[in-house]
Structures are given as structure tokens and as C-alpha cells.
Amino acid sequence: MGSQLNSEKTTAVSINDDGVTLRLKAPITLPVEAESICPDCFVGCQQSEILALPVFCGRRRKMLGDIFSVSGEASDRITVEGDLTHFKRIGQGMSRGRLTLRGDGGMHIGAYMKGGEICVEGNTRDWTGAHMTGGMIRIRGNAGHFTGAAYPGEIRGVNRGTIIVHGDVGNETGARMRRGLIVVEGHTGECTGAGMIAGSVFVFGKLGARAGAGNKRGSIVALGETAPMLPTYQYQCRAQFGFLGVYLRQIRKWGIAVSDDLLKGSFRRFSGDVTALNKGEILIHD
Amino acid sequence: MIGIINGRVYDPCNGIDGKVRDIWVKDGRIVSPAEVDRSAADIIDADGMVVMPGGVDIHSHIAGGKVNAGRKMRPDDSRGHERPSRELSQSPRVYTRSGTGRSVASTFKTAYDYVEMGYTTVMEGASPPLMARHTHEEFEDIPILDKGGYILMGNNHFIMDCIRRNEKEKARDYVAWLLGATKGFGIKIVNPGGVENFKYKQNVTDLDDKVIGFDVTPRRILETLSWINDELGLPHVPHIHGLNLGLNGNADITAETLIAMTGREAHFTHLQFMSYGGEMGKPVRSAAEVTARVVNANPNITVDVGQVVFGDTTTMTADGPVQYRLHALTGNKWFNDDVEAETGGGVTPCVYRKSNPFNAVQWLVGLELFLLIEDPWRVYLTTDHPNGGPFTCYPQVIRMLMDRDFRMQAFEGISKLARKNALLPELDREYSLYEIAIITRAGTAKRIGLDWKGHLGVGADADITVYADMEDREAMFARPRYVFKDGVLVARDGQIVCERPGQTVYVSPDYDTAIEKEVRRHIEDNYTIAFEHYAVSEKELSNGRQVACKP
């Protein structure tokens, strides 16, 4: 009980905290390696130290202060303002706190993330939340390809954590994920859940072609339209699945419109991929 | 001119066992003190340090088609193993090259990692003749190290045709031509006949099995190539990877193969993978005792171990069926290669786990071989890089050999099943620094046939490694204080300080030129490339060194 109180107390402190705000001084089109924009880096830093954190801008090493004006210090709550389309690896490996992007984000946002929350008010590019092992990423706009996917060559990808995309996503969303949840309010590209080991992907828009190719034990839930299924999935039954209600009510709490129709609806279950373990499934809402 | 003074020198070729000696270097060679003007020499005081010749690796896969296939299929091997470029001097501006990878590192990184570990010569374990140009192209980008490659011949159609027709002189001339054409250094035999049979979804399991389409047996291939090796007087001996690699109970066939070579000189590579007991379908157990006994009894046989090191690595061999089986077993991605009328090959990633009884037995077999083979001049340190583990794990293996407590501590951590009835706890032997110097440089250089390497006698190449004498042998061998290559300081405190080209050694034995006409026809009938494009010319080697044969 005591430890629980303590943890509530620490949470309370960070909520009262005003946090650190970064404002982009001028638009940047060179690619920027910005893994230093991360709550774990900022939390123990005074403002001068935050200003001096390194970023690679093109091939030149610069300081955060060269690119951003900074207000606030020593916090794990970060707000970044400006177009960060060309900023890579923001929030990479973060384990705590909250990172808010008021604008678009670039590639690899929240890759290897362990905990905390990332909220992007615009769009992000490829590899959002790749290899994450905990925490939550919420994208108000669209995300690029390989959202919540494993990097090339890696056998296992995302292992726990939640990614919510309110817009559309590109190809290979959740590829080779092992655990965790990805919710897409819009449409998905091709090969959603390719090579999934386990985990769940919910798609409210149109589920793209070749979903679940090589899927071992993962669940893909299509709540809207679907492109033609792979021939390696077999129709099994039509049923109402109790566990889907649990998921969908939680998703509704996260702010996605889930109609009562969906909650009560029946689903067709396809099992596959028969070329892998055949323990995976695609559930399609009638 | 350089003088390395007051160091404790371990130079087994010259019988120097930890005596304090001064080493003098001039024009890239070791010279006698009389030839040196001491006042003009750079003196390095190695007081309290250990001085050895530069390391010589007898078998490692560092360049060529398979390694590159591994690099391409394993971007995950690079992640977290990046080596940034570093400035070596400001004027003129010189940098090291950046690189990535651990088990299948890029070329420059391979060289730097070896040199920073005190190695100066490395032999590529298996190059298909058709891929020789690729191997040499990569050698060109592996600086500092001296290197050479063994050429795969155990499944060559031309050679097997000659054997079928009892024309071994013709086979000899072909081998001589092939070595010259590929700028190779020696004869490598991998699963003779088995790789060819794999093209028909089969294998060979016995020395007297038939090779499909050729009416020859693995035994005859081994005998003929061994005879050819003697006839041509190659500096190295036949470099043999036998039958049934990685299979339960393969120790018997390995012992049979070793005995079949009685009276002939031969090197058996990665013996660890060939020394398993038990039966198919039953738990594997170590049969290091069986193969070590045969090796001990046959003074003409040398072996390298191919020690397994726990962790992630990439396996690669010309033995196609082995890689297929490993892929089927692990479900890992797999690359398979059919090298026209010559050989095959495969690549698949592999993780050796302490908790896996089979992997743990593999680890035991390696260490037991090191400890059971009595003569250190006939057993060499390798991990069959990257098959048993990356070469960067050599210091760890050295510590296992030198420190019984460390070894036993690791033993306690492996699978319980593998520990049951294991021989390792009974083996008290600990290697001395002198013996380590034999298995990592003196013995290997001698066996490869590089007389000017692996020792610190007058006239030898000034490839010298100076270690701080530390109790932790792993740390000691991982970061030498100084590494000299050809008398130039190339690494200090485990960091590259100078980059320079290394040599590529090759042989070019004499042969009856009448063979060329027949080879031309063979290549034009069976290959996808023309005869004119087959041979690697001397001009393609920027720093080649032809080694003489003694027929």
C-alpha cells in the first residue's frame, strides 16, 4: 500500500510540472538524428544542459539549443512545437513521462520505447513504435509504413505496448510483432500483420491486401471493409467473441468511436496463415 | 628501427618460453641486435609485458560469396555493432573506415577487429573457385592483415571425372592450374561428394558411398587430393572438413576419416563439429575422447577446434546439406548456393544457448578437444568464425583454457542434461602462455606453411603483439598494448593507429600446359562464364605474394 501511495505521489508531481517546451526556430529539411529529444534525457537536465544536448543535423553535430528555443527544465513532460517531419528517433527508447508533438513527426518515433506516452498531433512517417516494449503512442493523423513493425532482418518485433493511429497507416503495420496492440482508425496498406508472432491489430477502416501473411498466432480484427483475403486463410465459423467486447470498450475509452453495433456484432473467423503455424486469425465484422 | 626491450618473450618456434629478450626490427623484419643503431631506434620498454609474434588464424570465414550472403541476409547482425570512422592523423587527413556487423562484419571492420586483438594473419577457410575473384576483391578491402584462401575442390566435377577415369596426373595438373587461376593458397575439401549429392536431395554418410553421376567415393576423392597436395609440394596440407558434420554419432566416421589419412599429412578443420556421440534421434553426447585419441596417435594430423561460444552468430559452410538441416531445425532464414560445377553452400543464422543441451554439448566437445589433444603443435584455436562464434570471442576461449576455475564456473551455467556424465570437470589441464602462443600463432603459421611468420627469429616478418601481463587473460588478449605489422605500429591499447595494406599470399604450382585446352572445353561446356574471364590475374592483386611450392 505504501509503495502504491508513493507512486501516486510521483505521478502527481509530474502532472503539476509545467514541463519543457521546445519550439523550432526555423524549418529544417536536412534529416536530423534527434534521439536526445526524450524524457529520459531531459528529466535530470537543467535548461543549459538541455540546450547543449547533441543532435546530428545532416552530417554536422549541433546542439539542441541551435535548433530549438527551450523553456522549462528538469521534467519528463516534453512538448515540441513545429514541423518535425525530418526529425528521426524522437522518443527512442523512452521509459517514462509524456512527449507531445504539436505538428508532424518523422521516422522512428518511439522506436524501442519502454514506457510513458507519446502523442503526435499531426502525421508521422515510417517505423513509428518499431520494437517498442511498453507504453503508448497516439498519432492523431496518419502514420507511415512499418508502424509497430520489426526492423529488417529481426525475427521478433514489438513486445507489449499500444499504438493508436487515428488516421491511416502504410504497409506492413505490426510486422513480426510478438505482443501488444495496434489500433488503426483509418485504412491500412498492404501486408498488415505480416509474419506476426502474436499480438493484436484492430482496423476500423479498410484492411489492405495480403493481411496476416505468414502470421503465426496473431489476431487481426477487421471492423470495416476488407481487401480480398490471402488464399492461405481458411473460413472457420461465425461467432460473437466475448474478448472483443473487452478490447472494444477499452478502445472506446481511448476516444475512438465504437458503435454498439460493433460491440454486439458477430464476426467471421478465418484461421491462418497455413504456411506458418495456422494458429493466427483474422476476424471480420459482418 | 624499433627495439622492444625487457619484455618476456614467448616464441615457441625458437624455444623461448617467457625469457626476457630484446626484439629488434629493421625494414619490416626482425634483425639481430648487431644490425641496429640503438641510438636511432624507437625503443619500447616492454618491462613486465608479454611479447609474442602476431596472431595467425588458420581458418576463418572473412571474405567471399558466403560471407557476403550472410551480410546481405543479416542486417540485424549490424544493429548495435556499428564502428564509426575515426581520425588517425590530421595532416594528411587519414581516417579509419566505418563498418558494421558482429558475426558477418564488413571488410574493414573485420580487419580492425582482428588487428586490435593482436592478430596479423588470417586465412579464409573456404573459397569456391568461381568466387575467387569476389574473395580477392574483399581481401583488397581487408587492410593490415595478411591473408590467403583455401580453394574448395572436394566436389569439383572435373576432378571427380578424372578420378573416375583413373587419370590422377590430369587431376594434378588441373588442381595446379586451378590454384594459379584462383590465386588460392591450398586445397580445401568439404564433405567430399556430399555437396554434389545434395544437388539430388541426397548426401554421403560413409567414406565408400557413391557420388551420383561420377562413380567415385569420398575416400577416393580424399586420397587423390591428398596425393596431389604432396605431388605439387604445396606449403599447406589438405584442409579437410569431413562427412556428417553436426550429426549425432559422427565421431565414428570422423575417426575413420582420420585413420584413412594415416601416413599422409592432413589438417582437419573445426573438429568440434565432427566429434559427437550418441545416435540419431537420441540425446547427443560428447565423443571428444574418441577423436582426440585418434589425433594423438597420428602425428601427421593437425586439427583446429571450432569452439562454440554461446550467443548469436551466423553459420556458413560449403556443406549445403548441413545448412539446410539447420534451417529446417531452427526455422531461421536460409541461403542456399549451387556453385555451378564446383561446390555448393549455405548460410543460416544460429543462436547457441547455454540452456540447450545440444549447444551445451557442442561447447563441451570443443573444450575437451583442446584439453585432450596432448601436443599443442597439433591443435589450433579457432571458432570456425563465424560458425562457432565470432573471432572476437577468442580471448574468452583463451581464458577458458588457461583458467580452470573460470571454465568450471561457465560449466555450472550450462544445461543440466549436458553436464550429466560430462568429462570436462575431470580435466585439470590449464594452458600456459607458451602453449597459447603455439595454438594461436607458432603452430598455425608453421602448419599453414608461412615460415616467415609466427616466430620472432631473425628474418621473420616483424609482426609482433605486446600484451600487458594481466591476471584476467580475457582482458589481456582482448586489448594488446601494442600491435606491430611489418615493423609498423598499427594498434595501441586495442585501438587502430595506422592503416596500411596487407599482403595476399597465394601459390602458383607448375603444370603441363596441355591441360589448359581441356579446361577451356570444360568451362565452355559447363559454365556460365567464358574461360578467359575465369582466372584471377596477378594484376588484380594489389599486394600479392607468391609462395613457392616444393614438389
Side-chain angles (χ1 to χ4, degrees), chain B residues 16 45 85 112 164 168 212 233 236 306 346 386 426 455 459 499:
Chain B
I16 300 171
D45 188 359
S85 164
Y112 301 149
R164 171 173 51 185
K168 60 180 183 178
I212 297 168
H236 191 34
E426 293 168 35
H455 70 99
E499 186 183 314

Side-chain angles (χ1 to χ4, degrees), chain B residues 173-187:
Chain B
D173 287 340
Y174 172 75
V175 168
W177 172 83
L178 193 62
L179 283 169
T182 55
K183 299 287 173 284
F185 191 76
I187 296 175

Side-chain angles (χ1 to χ4, degrees), chain B residues 329-407:
Chain B
L329 197 72
T330 59
N332 287 345
K333 48 196 165 183
W334 168 54
F335 165 87
N336 184 49
D337 198 8
D338 169 13
V339 189
E340 306 201 5
E342 295 175 346
T343 177
V347 183
T348 188
C350 177
V351 183
Y352 292 107
R353 292 178 208 279
K354 288 178 188 164
S355 56
N356 178 318
F358 195 102
N359 297 160
V361 167
Q362 293 183 297
W363 179 82
L364 282 171
V365 171
L367 290 176
E368 288 172 7
L369 283 172
F370 274 120
L371 301 171
L372 287 169
I373 297 175
E374 288 151 12
D375 182 2
W377 289 97
R378 295 201 288 120
V379 56
Y380 310 127
L381 172 67
T382 66
T383 57
D384 188 15
H385 166 82
N387 287 311
F391 64 81
T392 43
C393 296
Y394 285 1
Q396 185 195 333
V397 180
I398 290 174
R399 186 168 176 203
M400 295 265 180
L401 298 178
M402 296 191 72
D403 182 345
R404 183 172 184 276
D405 293 341
F406 180 65
R407 187 160 78 216

Side-chain angles (χ1 to χ4, degrees), chain A residues 112 131 151-156, chain B residues 73-76 79 332-333 353:
Chain A
Y112 296 105
H131 286 264
Y151 281 132
E154 302 286 351
I155 298 165
R156 297 178 193 90
Chain B
M73 74 191 270
R74 290 216 65 190
D76 46 326
R79 218 154 279 132
N332 287 345
K333 48 196 165 183
R353 292 178 208 279

Side-chain angles (χ1 to χ4, degrees), chain B residues 447-500:
Chain B
R447 193 53 164 171
I448 297 167
L450 304 173
D451 301 335
W452 58 94
K453 295 207 176 285
H455 70 99
L456 298 173
V458 170
D461 277 4
D463 300 349
I464 307 164
T465 307
V466 183
Y467 300 98
D469 191 1
M470 296 158 76
E471 203 152 310
D472 178 353
R473 300 301 190 189
E474 186 174 349
M476 167 177 167
F477 281 95
R479 270 171 66 101
R481 292 278 285 136
Y482 305 100
V483 182
F484 295 89
K485 175 72 180 43
D486 298 320
V488 176
L489 183 66
V490 286
R492 187 191 296 131
D493 293 327
Q495 253 195 348
I496 295 287
V497 293
C498 167
E499 186 183 314
R500 56 205 308 282

Side-chain angles (χ1 to χ4, degrees), chain A:
Chain A
M1 189 65 191
S3 65
Q4 215 176 346
L5 279 175
N6 276 343
S7 71
E8 276 168 19
K9 206 175 159 190
T10 38
T11 324
V13 168
S14 51
I15 287 167
N16 289 335
D17 181 2
D18 294 332
V20 180
T21 305
L22 306 179
R23 279 184 198 85
L24 196 60
K25 286 180 177 168
I28 289 185
T29 50
L30 278 173
V32 182
E33 298 276 332
E35 62 263 44
S36 56
I37 306 180
C38 175
D40 297 69
C41 294
F42 278 34
V43 75
C45 286
Q46 293 177 330
Q47 200 174 70
S48 58
E49 290 168 310
I50 292 174
L51 287 169
L53 283 171
V55 282
F56 267 90
C57 187
R59 64 192 183 98
R60 293 192 199 292
R61 191 190 174 93
K62 289 194 174 180
M63 293 190 293
L64 221 47
D66 299 337
I67 301 173
F68 292 99
S69 56
V70 179
S71 62
E73 60 185 12
S75 170
D76 65 356
R77 299 169 66 79
I78 306 173
T79 307
V80 194
E81 293 176 5
D83 177 10
L84 303 179
T85 313
H86 300 284
F87 282 64
K88 296 184 206 168
R89 307 190 183 279
I90 292 177
Q92 176 167 296
M94 70 184 264
S95 65
R96 58 186 290 180
R98 188 182 161 89
L99 181 58
T100 309
L101 266 59
R102 299 207 193 286
D104 291 346
M107 293 205 281
H108 309 282
I109 282 190
Y112 296 105
M113 175 175 180
K114 296 191 273 289
E117 195 179 338
I118 294 177
C119 183
V120 182
E121 298 192 349
N123 305 323
T124 61
R125 295 172 76 179
D126 300 353
W127 304 111
T128 302
H131 286 264
M132 71 189 285
T133 55
M136 184 180 229
I137 300 177
R138 187 193 288 267
I139 314 292
R140 296 280 175 199
N142 304 325
H145 300 303
F146 311 109
T147 302
Y151 281 132
E154 302 286 351
I155 298 165
R156 297 178 193 90
V158 168
N159 189 350
R160 298 188 178 87
T162 307
I163 301 175
I164 302 168
V165 182
H166 291 279
D168 301 337
V169 293
N171 300 338
E172 295 200 31
T173 301
R176 281 164 282 151
M177 71 188 285
R178 205 174 164 197
R179 292 188 187 88
L181 173 64
I182 300 175
V183 183
V184 182
E185 201 172 351
H187 310 311
T188 66
E190 293 189 5
C191 294
T192 302
M196 265 174 107
I197 298 162
S200 315
V201 180
F202 282 70
V203 182
F204 285 78
K206 183 177 178 181
L207 180 65
R210 292 188 277 280
N215 173 10
K216 283 185 178 168
R217 289 188 206 85
S219 299
I220 299 170
V221 185
L223 301 147
E225 274 180 83
T226 50
M229 297 272 291
L230 278 173
T232 48
Y233 275 80
Q234 294 163 316
Y235 173 71
Q236 293 211 306
C237 62
R238 170 179 281 127
Q240 284 179 306
F241 296 95
F243 76 93
L244 282 183
V246 178
Y247 271 97
L248 290 170
R249 280 189 195 92
Q250 179 60 50
I251 290 170
R252 184 187 264 174
K253 280 185 201 161
W254 284 329
I256 292 176
V258 178
S259 66
D260 288 343
D261 209 28
L262 280 180
L263 276 174
K264 289 183 200 137
S266 63
F267 286 78
R268 279 177 294 148
R269 182 182 193 272
F270 291 81
S271 104
D273 181 330
V274 294
T275 60
L277 266 186
N278 198 17
K279 288 182 179 172
E281 60 185 1
I282 298 181
L283 306 175
I284 300 178
H285 182 248
D286 276 329

Side-chain angles (χ1 to χ4, degrees), chain B residues 19 73 94 98 106 113 126 225 356 398 401 501 511 523 526 528:
Chain B
K19 296 264 160 36
M73 74 191 270
V94 182
S98 58
S106 50
D113 286 355
L225 285 170
N356 178 318
I398 290 174
L401 298 178
Y511 57 90
I523 289 180
N526 297 294
T528 51

